Amino acid sequence: MLCRDVMKGDVRFITAQTTVARAAALMRDEQIGFLPVCDLTRNVIGTLTDRDIAIRVVADNHSANESVERFMSPGAVTCLSDEDLSAAQDLMGEMQVSRIICVGEDGQLEGVISLSDIAQLGDGADATATLRSVTVREARA
Amino acid sequence: MVCQDLMKSDVKCISPLTTLEEAAVRMRDDGIGFLPVCDDVGRAIGTITDRDITIRAFASGEPGSQPVEPFMTRSVVACRRTDDLAYAVDLMSQEKVSRILCVSEEGVLEGVISLSDIAQLEDGALASYTLRNVSDREVHA
């Protein structure tokens, strides 16, 4: 199975200049917790999560009108959309992330695979293995 | 296996009057994404996550100086420390939550069990069952 077969393709993304307020509203309205940050050519330059906003913006009392650039995690864990899913799972475990960004040959954003997407697959043992190796911030007490 | 065999008992709770900013600081400093909210005798009356702070408060322009009370989740999913772990897992699946509180007869908070605690168990089937049954929102993309 290829990453392309599992990834969600209609991914919302923001730019480094998007305000934190806009990013938070987008997460609320789209019921997501994660946004890729892209440059003008749709190359992924960072990621921003709902947690990043809580612990980097709210915790330090920053203004909602600041751009996401200084609060995002720069860089991203990516794989090729045409790669085998098992390679993506290995990378998620290795890099301790619960989501991986799928890109095309040109490096442009094409989709995202999350741990819950893997959990929905038939093989529950697979997802459990990934969950065990990932530090799942969302699932930590 | 009963719940007290697995629960983390060094759980810190916050008061309903704790501010959003204070809660976010606590989450950042302790590396957690979830805080039980307890009344002055230690009874669990709600929970708040990093996502709640971002989605329910920050996204609506609420200042971090506000108390967490209006933004917390009021329905507490809880079990007793002497309950069988399978019961807790069923309840987590049913209620689609990735954490369950262990409380005393009087409702006083004694511990927390998270999905990742269950994933660490030898019984992988139990973990994958739980993982497949918790909502997308909890392990969201």
Side-chain angles (χ1 to χ4, degrees):
Chain A
M1 190 176 292
L2 300 180
C3 291
R4 184 179 296 290
D5 303 325
V6 182
M7 71 184 193
K8 288 207 178 81
D10 54 340
V11 181
R12 293 296 188 135
F13 64 92
I14 53 177
T15 72
Q17 282 71 49
T18 304
T19 65
V20 195
R22 171 79 191 121
L26 198 56
M27 289 178 184
R28 178 192 60 203
D29 298 343
E30 301 290 330
Q31 294 186 299
I32 51 179
F34 167 86
L35 286 165
V37 183
C38 295
D39 66 14
L40 292 174
T41 60
R42 224 177 140 154
N43 273 284
V44 183
I45 57 169
T47 60
L48 186 78
T49 66
D50 46 10
R51 177 172 175 82
D52 293 335
I53 295 177
I55 70 167
R56 296 177 187 166
V57 182
V58 179
D60 283 337
N61 196 22
H62 285 289
S63 159
N65 296 321
E66 288 189 50
S67 65
V68 302
E69 188 160 24
R70 59 181 297 197
F71 305 111
M72 69 182 190
S73 301
V77 179
T78 63
C79 62
L80 292 172
S81 304
D82 290 326
E83 239 174 310
D84 199 84
L85 180 63
S86 62
Q89 277 179 268
D90 286 348
L91 196 57
M92 289 168 79
E94 198 179 307
M95 304 299 286
Q96 308 262 295
V97 292
S98 56
R99 305 172 186 91
I100 192 163
I101 289 171
C102 305
V103 298
E105 297 285 351
D106 49 10
Q108 290 187 329
L109 173 68
E110 290 191 339
V112 173
I113 298 172
S114 73
L115 194 55
S116 62
D117 297 327
I118 296 171
Q120 302 311 316
L121 296 175
D123 188 359
D126 246 30
T128 310
T130 308
L131 174 62
R132 264 203 211 116
S133 52
V134 164
T135 303
V136 191
R137 196 257 322 145
E138 295 85 344
R140 195 165 50 190
Chain B
M1 187 177 277
V2 293
C3 290
Q4 67 182 358
D5 299 331
L6 192 63
M7 71 181 196
K8 291 208 174 81
S9 47
D10 57 335
V11 182
K12 293 171 189 166
C13 55
I14 56 172
S15 135
L17 298 177
T18 303
T19 68
L20 294 162
E21 186 179 331
E22 287 164 350
V25 166
R26 178 77 69 83
M27 289 177 183
R28 180 193 64 202
D29 293 349
D30 292 351
I32 53 177
F34 165 88
L35 286 166
V37 181
C38 298
D39 66 13
D40 44 19
V41 294
R43 281 179 305 215
I45 56 170
T47 60
I48 191 156
T49 66
D50 45 12
R51 178 169 176 83
D52 295 334
I53 293 175
T54 297
I55 298 303
R56 296 181 186 164
F58 184 82
S60 309
E62 301 286 352
S65 54
Q66 293 236 63
V68 298
E69 187 166 23
F71 306 104
M72 69 185 189
T73 300
R74 286 171 187 280
S75 59
V76 173
V77 179
C79 60
R80 300 277 171 78
R81 64 196 301 163
T82 48
D83 282 336
D84 199 273
L85 186 60
Y87 170 77
V89 167
D90 269 345
L91 200 55
M92 289 169 78
S93 298
Q94 227 168 51
E95 301 289 332
K96 300 198 181 299
V97 294
S98 58
R99 305 169 185 94
I100 191 165
L101 303 183
C102 302
V103 299
S104 73
E105 221 164 294
E106 296 77 33
V108 173
L109 180 69
E110 296 182 321
V112 175
I113 297 174
S114 74
L115 186 57
S116 59
D117 298 329
I118 296 169
Q120 305 306 322
L121 290 176
E122 289 304 302
D123 186 355
L126 194 61
S128 47
Y129 168 78
T130 315
L131 179 58
R132 228 176 288 140
N133 282 285
V134 295
S135 75
D136 259 10
R137 200 201 67 71
E138 293 287 341
V139 190
H140 45 82

